Amino acid sequence: MDKTFYNLKRGLIWLLSRLSAILLSVMTILIIYQVFTRYILNNPADFTEEIIRYMLIWIGFIGAAYGFLTREHMSLTLIPDRVNSKSQKRIRVLIDLSILLVALFIIVIGGFKLVHSARSQRSALLGIPRSLVYIVAPISGIFIVLAQIINLWESWTGKKVASKYYEANQEKRSEDFSFQKVDKTTNLDKNRTSYEGNLD
């Protein structure tokens, strides 16, 4: 089970991170092109505005799935920090289960219903079916469900499932934080020594 979840998480992190990077890169190029045509050529490319808006929606949903997978969403730990480890485990399981159910019934099932209802609608400029835009909701919902299954298993068993990519990033962040902490402490010591020298 550990190896299965490890491979699944590694594959999802690889896929979602690259999808987000590609969409963001294309969106940046389109924004630059739009600015160029608007202010240099005085002939704005209207179609880019609609594409950029739809890409922003896709990046938001895919980024949300990535955040759940890596547990990097902002969270309030006021209550878990005040209870014992057994209660913390129950709270984590309850939170992960709640997110899984919301993702399944609202984002996935509700998303497919939205796609089905919008299949006959077309966008104003490009004329593409709006269902192609809305399909990102159930797709990201499926990714979130898979992420929450892994998170739920982690919370229930107390074991950590992490890919090498994620572990390397976490270690780098810890090292950067430690370096910044040491650097700030060194600067404080230097300032204190300089201040005491001036007093003498």
Side-chain angles (χ1 to χ4, degrees), residues 55 61 80 109 112 151 160 163 169 171 173 186:
M55 282 189 170
F61 275 96
I109 297 177
F112 277 121
N151 292 339
K160 188 69 177 176
S163 68
N169 281 348
E171 289 176 2
R173 288 182 182 180
T186 304

Side-chain angles (χ1 to χ4, degrees), residues 100-130:
L100 191 152
L101 293 176
V102 169
L104 178 61
F105 290 104
I106 296 180
I107 303 180
V108 177
I109 297 177
F112 277 121
K113 289 181 179 179
L114 178 63
V115 171
H116 181 71
S117 64
R119 69 187 186 280
S120 60
Q121 299 177 12
R122 300 265 174 183
S123 63
L125 294 176
L126 298 177
I128 61 174
R130 289 193 178 272

Side-chain angles (χ1 to χ4, degrees), residues 107-181:
I107 303 180
V108 177
I109 297 177
F112 277 121
K113 289 181 179 179
L114 178 63
V115 171
H116 181 71
S117 64
R119 69 187 186 280
S120 60
Q121 299 177 12
R122 300 265 174 183
S123 63
L125 294 176
L126 298 177
I128 61 174
R130 289 193 178 272
S131 57
L132 292 178
V133 181
Y134 300 148
I135 192 66
V136 70
I139 290 175
S140 68
I142 293 171
F143 287 138
I144 293 173
V145 168
L146 293 175
Q148 285 307 119
I149 291 173
I150 297 173
N151 292 339
L152 188 61
W153 187 83
E154 285 182 345
S155 299
W156 182 260
T157 62
K159 297 179 180 180
K160 188 69 177 176
V161 178
S163 68
K164 294 179 181 179
Y165 173 81
Y166 181 63
E167 286 175 342
N169 281 348
Q170 291 297 94
E171 289 176 2
K172 186 177 183 302
R173 288 182 182 180
S174 300
E175 290 173 0
D176 292 342
F177 178 76
S178 300
F179 177 76
Q180 291 174 3
K181 189 174 181 181

Side-chain angles (χ1 to χ4, degrees), residues 27-170:
M27 193 170 72
T28 302
I29 294 171
L30 289 175
I31 290 173
I32 294 172
Y33 176 73
Q34 185 184 53
V35 171
F36 177 79
T37 57
R38 182 180 296 273
Y39 295 103
I40 305 299
L41 302 181
N42 292 322
N43 184 23
D46 295 331
F47 73 93
T48 57
E49 183 179 350
E50 195 168 81
I51 296 176
I52 291 168
R53 184 165 63 249
Y54 293 157
M55 282 189 170
L56 186 61
I57 295 172
W58 273 70
I59 290 175
F61 275 96
I62 293 174
Y66 181 86
F68 281 112
L69 188 64
T70 56
R71 289 187 183 269
E72 292 185 350
H73 277 296
M74 184 178 65
S75 61
L76 298 176
T77 59
L78 182 63
I79 296 177
D81 290 343
R82 294 177 179 270
V83 297
N84 55 40
S85 58
K86 191 173 182 179
S87 297
Q88 286 180 358
K89 176 182 176 180
R90 292 174 179 172
I91 292 173
R92 284 196 299 268
V93 169
L94 179 62
I95 291 172
D96 288 334
L97 183 59
S98 300
I99 295 172
L100 191 152
L101 293 176
V102 169
L104 178 61
F105 290 104
I106 296 180
I107 303 180
V108 177
I109 297 177
F112 277 121
K113 289 181 179 179
L114 178 63
V115 171
H116 181 71
S117 64
R119 69 187 186 280
S120 60
Q121 299 177 12
R122 300 265 174 183
S123 63
L125 294 176
L126 298 177
I128 61 174
R130 289 193 178 272
S131 57
L132 292 178
V133 181
Y134 300 148
I135 192 66
V136 70
I139 290 175
S140 68
I142 293 171
F143 287 138
I144 293 173
V145 168
L146 293 175
Q148 285 307 119
I149 291 173
I150 297 173
N151 292 339
L152 188 61
W153 187 83
E154 285 182 345
S155 299
W156 182 260
T157 62
K159 297 179 180 180
K160 188 69 177 176
V161 178
S163 68
K164 294 179 181 179
Y165 173 81
Y166 181 63
E167 286 175 342
N169 281 348
Q170 291 297 94

Side-chain angles (χ1 to χ4, degrees), residues 181-198:
K181 189 174 181 181
V182 171
D183 188 53
K184 288 180 180 179
T185 304
T186 304
N187 289 334
L188 287 173
D189 291 339
K190 287 181 180 179
N191 292 334
R192 187 182 296 114
T193 304
S194 176
Y195 177 74
E196 291 175 353
N198 292 332

